[in-house]
């Protein structure tokens, strides 16, 4: 694994060859990796030009009618000068934006190659099981980095939209995903340090309070741990004191989700970025946790019934419940149904806000009635 000390961040900041950037962009277009973004740029250009050529002349035609013809040619020429200035500014902004995006892609790709990773512009609707990936519309990853070995790691930015019209909201996340050696129960660590007002979680979903598990030491001061009911002993097996210390020291500002064979680290800011310090922090966190994940590979769900071996059946033993342990097949890899997903709950902060809005609405009706 590439350690933070070995991480080569020079490609993120060093000067780039413009010809190489153009060639890389052309290569991406040939692979149709930029089709969606190209369409967005074209739409932006069309809208900007339509505004400049239609909206601005219409506005100034109204202004011109407010002046007398004795004002001279200045009033006649002024609208065209303003239109020219707007078109120029819009054109320069679009060109700089496109060039900036191209340079960013080129830098990230070179950074990935220098550190044994691969870069991809991103995918729509990624098939990941984490809590942020199945919400809203227009879901997609951006600036995705992957490393295949020694453990599969993916670092990317992610966005999705909720609502519609004026109420449309774009939600942005950064995440790091580590593939585990075996599926584990669904466990969530809600970081206390990044919660909102009144301690409300910043996670997009909430979980039933009956699934909250308190751990020893000062772990609860940093994380609220949720595990499926009946899996408390399994969570204690996974989160030994040394593992808890590693999460506190390295991931206290990140929300954590363990689901199926994945461990996700969530942040409300971009993690795939041109900032060397961010990459040093991300890879340091991934490396520190990876050192402890190997011990989780030995976990097995005892709820998956062990079946008697052929020798046990031949000897006439009645079944798994009475067969000697040496003759029983160990529990298979996997998680029983009750442990695969946490039960969703609701946020008391959301309830209080809804009650306050409802009370205010009722009071306004009462005051209107009394006033009439």
């Amino acid at each position: 694994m590439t350690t933070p000390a070995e991480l080569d961040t020079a490609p993120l900041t060093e000067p780039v060859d413009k010809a190489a950037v153009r060639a890389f962009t052309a290569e991406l277009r040939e692979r149709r990796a930029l089709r969606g973004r190209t369409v967005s740029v074209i739409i932006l250009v069309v809208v900007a030009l339509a505004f400049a050529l239609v909206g601005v002349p219409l506005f100034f035609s109204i202004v011109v009618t407010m002046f007398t013809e004795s004002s001279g040619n200045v009033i006649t020429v002024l609208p065209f000068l303003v239109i020219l200035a707007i078109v120029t500014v819009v054109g320069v902004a679009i060109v700089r934006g496109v060039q900036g995006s191209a340079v960013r892609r080129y830098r990230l790709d070179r950074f990935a190659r220098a550190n044994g990773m691969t870069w991809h512009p991103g995918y729509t609707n990624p098939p990941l099981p984490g809590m942020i990936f199945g919400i809203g519309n227009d879901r997609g990853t951006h600036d995705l980095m992957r490393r295949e070995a020694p453990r599969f790691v993916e670092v990317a930015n992610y966005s999705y939209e909720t609502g519609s019209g004026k109420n449309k909201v774009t939600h942005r996340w950064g995440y790091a995903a580590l593939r585990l050696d075996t599926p584990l129960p669904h466990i969530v660590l809600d970081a206390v340090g990044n919660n909102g007002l009144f301690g409300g979680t910043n996670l997009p979903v909430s979980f039933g309070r009956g699934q909250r598990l308190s751990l020893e030491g000062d772990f609860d001061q940093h994380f609220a741990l949720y595990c499926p009911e009946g899996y408390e002993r399994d969570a204690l097996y996974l989160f030994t004191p040394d593992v808890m210390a590693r999460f506190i020291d390295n991931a206290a500002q990140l929300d954590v989700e363990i689901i199926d064979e994945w461990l996700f680290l969530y942040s409300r800011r971009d993690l795939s970025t041109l900032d060397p310090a961010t990459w040093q922090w991300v890879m340091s966190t991934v490396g520190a946790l990876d050192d402890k994940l190997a011990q989780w590979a030995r976990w097995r769900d005892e709820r998956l019934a062990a079946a008697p071996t052929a020798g046990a059946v031949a000897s006439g033993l009645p079944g798994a419940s009475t067969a000697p342990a040496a003759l029983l097949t160990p529990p298979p890899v996997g998680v029983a149904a009750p442990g695969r997903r946490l039960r969703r709950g609701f946020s008391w902060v959301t309830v209080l806000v809804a009650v306050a809005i409802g009370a205010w609405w009722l009071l306004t009706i009462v005051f209107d009635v009394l006033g009439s």
Side-chain angles (χ1 to χ4, degrees):
M1 175 184 297
T2 301
T3 64
E6 300 170 342
L7 199 66
D8 183 4
T9 60
L12 299 174
T13 56
E14 65 185 7
V16 298
D17 181 16
K18 293 183 178 180
V21 173
R22 289 193 297 268
F24 180 66
T25 301
E27 176 188 345
L28 292 176
R29 286 175 178 162
E30 289 180 1
R31 288 157 36 192
R32 297 186 178 181
L34 298 180
R35 181 172 54 182
R37 296 189 180 188
T38 302
V39 171
S40 299
V41 172
I42 293 174
I43 293 175
L44 177 62
V45 172
V46 171
V47 171
L49 291 178
F51 173 77
L53 298 176
V54 178
V56 175
L58 179 62
F59 170 77
F60 275 100
S61 65
I62 297 175
V63 174
V64 169
T65 59
M66 300 175 61
F67 292 86
T68 61
E69 295 182 357
S70 59
S71 300
N73 294 330
V74 176
I75 295 297
T76 305
V77 176
L78 183 60
F80 298 100
L81 295 177
V82 173
I83 293 173
L84 179 61
I86 292 177
V87 172
T88 302
V89 171
V90 171
V92 171
I94 292 175
V95 170
R96 287 184 176 179
V98 172
Q99 290 178 344
S101 298
V103 171
R104 174 188 175 87
R105 293 190 295 264
Y106 179 74
R107 288 184 184 279
L108 288 174
D109 181 74
R110 292 186 68 243
F111 168 71
R113 295 173 185 271
N115 293 280
M117 297 185 288
T118 58
W119 170 88
H120 191 276
Y123 300 95
T124 58
N125 298 319
L128 295 171
M131 70 177 80
I132 69 173
F133 299 106
I135 302 175
N137 304 302
D138 196 19
R139 301 187 293 264
T141 56
H142 315 284
D143 292 327
L144 186 146
M145 296 280 194
R146 281 179 177 167
R147 188 192 64 199
E148 298 291 338
R151 182 186 298 279
F152 180 91
V153 176
E154 179 174 294
V155 180
N157 306 320
Y158 179 75
S159 65
Y160 62 90
E161 294 180 351
T162 56
S164 60
K166 295 182 179 179
N167 297 321
K168 181 181 293 185
V169 178
T170 299
H171 306 265
R172 302 185 185 279
W173 293 82
Y175 73 89
L178 291 77
R179 189 187 295 275
L180 303 175
D181 300 306
T182 185
L184 295 177
H186 191 191
I187 295 175
V188 169
L189 306 183
D190 184 1
V192 174
N194 60 22
N195 284 341
L197 189 64
F198 306 118
T201 179
N202 72 323
L203 296 176
V205 299
S206 57
F207 304 97
R209 296 182 65 84
Q211 302 166 112
R212 174 78 182 272
L213 176 64
S214 179
L215 299 184
E216 63 182 21
D218 60 350
F219 191 80
D220 291 355
Q221 299 177 18
H222 301 276
F223 294 101
L225 186 148
Y226 295 88
C227 71
E229 295 183 38
Y231 280 78
E232 292 82 3
R233 187 161 62 92
D234 301 271
L236 294 175
Y237 171 84
L238 296 172
F239 285 87
T240 55
D242 59 325
V243 172
M244 288 191 290
R246 195 62 63 94
F247 274 89
I248 292 173
D249 294 340
N250 297 275
Q253 294 302 314
L254 296 168
D255 298 298
V256 183
E257 182 177 19
I258 301 167
I259 182 169
D260 299 337
E261 68 276 13
W262 293 95
L263 183 147
F264 293 102
L265 304 173
Y266 299 126
S267 172
R268 293 310 300 263
R269 64 186 179 94
D270 287 354
L271 294 184
S272 184
T273 174
L274 295 181
D275 178 32
T278 297
W279 276 110
Q280 292 281 356
W281 170 60
V282 170
M283 299 311 292
S284 174
T285 301
V286 168
L289 298 181
D290 188 30
D291 289 341
K292 293 296 180 182
L293 296 182
Q295 66 192 62
W296 286 0
R298 299 188 295 271
W299 178 85
R300 293 294 183 270
D301 193 343
E302 297 177 354
R303 297 154 191 81
L304 298 175
T309 64
V313 175
S315 64
L317 292 174
S321 60
T322 58
L327 298 177
L328 296 180
T329 303
V333 174
V335 183
R340 293 174 189 166
R341 294 295 183 269
L342 284 163
R343 177 171 44 83
R344 295 290 176 89
F346 58 88
S347 171
W348 283 106
V349 175
T350 302
V351 173
L352 291 176
V353 170
V355 170
I357 294 174
W360 176 256
W361 177 70
L362 290 175
L363 285 176
T364 56
I365 294 177
V366 171
F367 289 147
D368 288 341
V369 172
L370 293 177
S372 60

